[in-house]
Amino acid sequence: MVQNQDKFNHIILFYKEAFIEVHEKAVKPYLKCEQLYPVDYEIENLFASYKERKLEHDITRGSKKALKKIRKEGIEKLRS
């Protein structure tokens, strides 16, 4: 799975439980994206942690607990 590409055509891949950086020419895909994931699958979920996805979901549904947590973190950042 490719995360991003820089100006030198290096890409970051998830390989054997770790992210590695390689040149794009060193990688050859053997499956198309359509074969790996369903049509409605959100690819961004691969790069976000469970906590990040849960927090985003809680915010969209209007969780007071999640909003309180964000407010508390914001205040702590301002103090430091």
Side-chain angles (χ1 to χ4, degrees):
M1 181 86 246
V2 176
Q3 188 172 10
N4 59 8
Q5 184 173 355
D6 65 8
K7 64 182 181 179
F8 300 110
N9 294 328
H10 292 122
I11 54 177
I12 298 174
L13 299 173
F14 187 70
Y15 179 71
K16 293 188 178 181
E17 303 296 323
F19 287 101
I20 59 170
E21 184 175 330
V22 295
H23 194 273
E24 70 175 2
K25 290 185 179 182
V27 179
K28 181 179 176 185
Y30 62 94
L31 289 176
K32 293 184 179 182
C33 182
E34 295 83 20
Q35 293 175 303
L36 292 173
Y37 307 104
V39 176
D40 59 342
Y41 187 80
E42 294 183 27
I43 299 293
E44 294 301 318
N45 287 343
L46 296 174
F47 302 110
S49 70
Y50 171 77
K51 287 183 179 181
E52 291 172 346
R53 292 194 317 265
K54 182 179 182 332
L55 180 61
E56 185 176 328
H57 176 72
D58 288 345
I59 291 169
T60 56
R61 68 180 181 85
S63 169
K64 291 180 184 178
K65 186 177 180 180
L67 295 174
K68 184 178 177 181
K69 181 180 177 182
I70 292 171
R71 193 175 301 121
K72 183 178 178 182
E73 289 175 357
I75 291 171
E76 289 175 3
K77 284 184 181 179
L78 288 174
R79 289 182 181 168
S80 59

